[in-house]
Amino acid sequence: MKNIYIYLKILLIPFAFILQNYSIINAQICSKTNPINCLQFKPLARLWNVSNEEVPKLLDLEKSLISIDSKLQPLLNELDFGGTYIDMKAGKINVNTVNQSKVNEIRNKMKNDQDFLNFIAANNTLSQLNSTFNQTFILAQQFNITNYEISIEPEFNNIVIYLNMNDGKNKRFIENVETFNPSPIIKLLPNEEKEEILFNSSILVEKRNLNILVNGGSRIVSLGHNGIKACTAGFWMKKNNEDFIVTARHCLEIFPPLFYVYSFQDDHLIGPMNSRLIGSYDMGFIKKTNTNIMLRPVIRRFLQFLIVGSSEITSCGIHICKAGQRTGISCGFVSAINSIYNFVDGVLIRAIVVANMHGNYGDSSGSMFLYNGLNGQSNLADAVGIFNRWRIRHTGNRYANKHSF
C-alpha cells in the first residue's frame, strides 16, 4: 500500500529543549539484558523483520547511511546518474548509474564511505526522470484527470503513476503517456482492504485526568456532512505564545469549525480551526481555547514517545512511522521524495510517498515520526509531519499525505 506525505519545512516544533531533562530521567534503554525496554521498537522491528533488540544497531546504521547519502547526492551529475535509495537489508546505498565511466570518480570522492555504495546499472538519468515527471504532470492537467499520483521512485529508476485504469479519460491519458521516454510505470490505485489494528489503545485512562490530555495520536472529532468526522491529533505547536494542534485541512468539512477531543462534550472542546494552508499543502491549525485541555509534546497510542526534535526526509528507503487513532502505530519505507497527488476535488498535493504502512479512516493527521534511538532509547521520537487519509469516492481506494516540519 502506498501512502503520501507532504513535505513542508516552514514549520518548526520547539519541543527539543522542553524534553531534554525529561527524556533523560525517563530513559528506556533497549538491551539484550533489559528486553522489556525494547518493546517500543516493535513497530519498526516488524517493518525490518528483525528482533526488537536488533533495532538500535540498525537505527545507527540508518543514520550513517542517511549522512553518507547527503554527501553523495550533490556529487551525482543528473546527466550520468538516476538517483539513490537506501537498502537497509544490505546496509548499502544503491546508486542508479547510467554512465559507468563516472563510478571511479565518485568512489575517489567518497573514499571513506565507498564500501557503503552499490553502483547499479540503470537506464534513466535523473534529468530524464525530471523531464518525464513534468511532461506527465502537464498531460494529466490537459486530460483533466483526478485521483492520481505521479512520483519519481528511485528503486524502479522510473516514474510511477497510480490511477484508476477503468476510467475512459484515464485510458486516453495512459495511451499518450506511454509514448514518453522513459515510459512511466502504470499501477492501479490500491484497493480498499481490512487493516490490522496495531498497538491500538483505550482513551479511558486519559479521560480520568482533571486536565484532558491531547497527545499526538489522540482522537479528535468535528461535525461532518454525514455526521461525526473523526481525525487524529498531529502535533502541538506554538505561535505568538498561543497553542495549536496541527491537523489536516480536509478534517474540516462544515462550519462552525470546532474540534473536540474524544467526543462532543463542552469540557472536551479544543477550539476552532481558524487557519489553514491552501494550495499544495493539506494542513490546518486548531487553536486551543479551552483551559481544561492540556497539549503535550508526546505521541501516544498505547506506546508513548517523547518528541525530542524534528527531522527532514532527504533519502529514499528509510523508515517513517505514524500514530493514528484507528490503527495505532505502524511504520513504512519512504519510496519517493518527489511526488504530486491530485485530490478528488482537484487539489494538488506535493508529497513524499511511503510504502508498506498500515492506516485507515480516522488516522488522518496523525503524528508522523522517526525513531530517534539516541543511546538505544526506545521512547524518543523526531517529529516529521502528519498523516492524512481519505477515501477516493468513486474508486474506494485510500491514500495519505504527510506534512513535514
Side-chain angles (χ1 to χ4, degrees):
M1 184 185 70
K2 294 286 180 180
N3 298 287
I4 307 174
Y5 303 89
I6 296 173
Y7 189 64
L8 183 63
K9 299 179 182 178
I10 61 171
L11 298 178
L12 298 176
I13 303 180
F15 293 152
F17 73 93
I18 298 174
L19 292 176
Q20 283 176 351
N21 295 329
Y22 188 35
S23 63
I24 293 172
I25 293 171
N26 294 274
Q28 296 180 13
I29 298 175
C30 171
S31 67
K32 290 183 179 179
T33 58
N34 197 3
I36 194 168
N37 283 343
C38 302
L39 290 177
Q40 297 219 148
F41 282 134
K42 189 169 184 178
L44 187 50
R46 180 191 293 259
L47 178 71
W48 284 344
N49 195 27
V50 298
S51 68
N52 298 342
E53 292 78 11
E54 293 176 272
V55 169
K57 184 177 179 180
L58 289 174
L59 275 175
D60 288 340
L61 173 61
E62 185 183 62
K63 288 179 181 179
S64 296
L65 293 175
I66 292 171
S67 177
I68 295 168
D69 194 33
S70 68
K71 293 184 288 184
L72 173 65
Q73 288 185 29
L75 302 178
L76 302 178
N77 189 313
E78 64 178 31
L79 297 175
D80 300 314
F81 297 93
T84 66
Y85 60 99
I86 290 173
D87 182 349
M88 283 301 297
K89 287 186 178 180
K92 301 275 188 179
I93 300 171
N94 291 331
V95 185
N96 293 326
T97 308
V98 178
N99 186 350
Q100 296 292 330
S101 69
K102 297 293 183 178
V103 171
N104 287 337
E105 177 184 329
I106 299 301
R107 286 194 183 278
N108 289 333
K109 291 179 179 179
M110 298 287 294
K111 281 184 178 179
N112 295 334
D113 302 309
Q114 62 174 312
D115 290 343
F116 293 101
L117 306 183
N118 183 28
F119 292 89
I120 297 176
N123 295 319
N124 304 316
T125 66
L126 192 55
S127 177
Q128 289 175 295
L129 294 174
N130 285 330
S131 176
T132 300
F133 179 87
N134 292 332
Q135 287 179 290
T136 303
F137 173 59
I138 292 171
L139 190 67
Q141 291 182 307
Q142 290 175 348
F143 277 84
N144 195 31
I145 65 171
T146 59
N147 297 332
Y148 65 85
E149 175 208 329
I150 305 169
S151 61
I152 300 176
E153 300 197 17
E155 185 175 0
F156 297 109
N157 185 225
N158 207 339
I159 308 300
V160 182
I161 305 170
Y162 298 87
L163 79 174
N164 176 14
M165 296 185 190
N166 295 323
D167 188 303
K169 187 168 49 178
N170 290 352
K171 287 181 179 179
R172 294 191 296 274
F173 166 75
I174 292 171
E175 290 171 358
N176 281 266
V177 85
E178 285 178 339
T179 65
F180 292 165
N181 183 25
S183 178
I185 298 170
I186 310 294
K187 292 190 176 186
L188 281 170
L189 287 169
N191 290 323
E192 189 67 26
E193 61 184 355
K194 184 178 179 181
E195 293 288 358
E196 180 180 5
I197 305 299
L198 301 176
F199 306 103
N200 213 358
S201 66
S202 169
I203 61 175
L204 296 179
V205 173
E206 292 187 347
K207 282 187 176 181
R208 297 191 191 107
N209 290 283
L210 293 177
N211 290 103
I212 299 172
L213 303 179
V214 182
N215 307 307
S218 294
R219 172 184 167 91
I220 58 175
V221 295
S222 62
L223 289 176
H225 294 301
N226 298 315
I228 296 175
K229 184 174 180 66
C231 285
T232 303
F235 291 104
W236 165 39
M237 66 171 293
K238 279 184 173 290
K239 181 179 180 182
N240 298 329
N241 223 20
E242 294 181 319
D243 293 317
F244 295 84
I245 294 174
V246 184
T247 186
R249 180 186 61 190
H250 77 262
C251 288
L252 173 63
E253 289 189 351
I254 64 175
F255 287 85
L258 297 177
F259 284 80
Y260 297 74
V261 61
Y262 311 133
S263 61
F264 289 101
Q265 301 177 34
D266 289 343
D267 59 344
H268 287 192
L269 173 68
I270 302 170
M273 183 188 290
N274 59 5
S275 59
R276 294 183 288 170
L277 292 182
I278 58 175
S280 297
Y281 304 105
D282 177 26
M283 182 175 283
F285 304 90
I286 302 170
K287 182 179 178 180
K288 184 178 84 76
T289 58
N290 185 351
T291 57
N292 290 326
I293 295 291
M294 180 182 294
L295 307 182
R296 300 196 302 171
V298 167
I299 298 168
R300 184 175 183 182
R301 292 308 297 169
F302 180 68
L303 302 178
Q304 179 167 297
F305 299 91
L306 307 176
I307 304 169
V308 294
S310 58
S311 291
E312 177 179 344
I313 304 298
T314 58
S315 297
C316 290
I318 68 171
H319 86 279
I320 192 171
C321 304
K322 74 100 181 64
Q325 60 96 4
R326 278 288 301 278
T327 59
I329 292 174
S330 58
C331 302
F333 294 106
V334 175
S335 60
I337 293 176
N338 297 318
S339 178
I340 194 162
Y341 182 79
N342 183 284
F343 267 112
V344 67
D345 57 5
V347 177
L348 296 172
I349 299 297
R350 298 187 181 279
I352 287 173
V353 180
V354 177
N356 302 323
M357 179 181 287
H358 293 275
N360 215 324
Y361 309 121
D363 288 335
S364 283
S365 67
S367 309
M368 296 293 304
F369 65 96
L370 299 180
Y371 277 86
N372 180 281
L374 178 66
N375 298 325
Q377 294 182 74
S378 61
N379 62 330
L380 305 183
D382 289 335
V384 174
I386 62 172
F387 176 92
N388 290 340
R389 189 168 202 81
W390 63 90
R391 184 172 186 138
I392 301 172
R393 295 168 194 159
H394 71 272
T395 63
N397 297 319
R398 303 156 315 179
Y399 269 82
N401 312 37
K402 174 216 90 175
H403 311 286
S404 185
F405 299 85

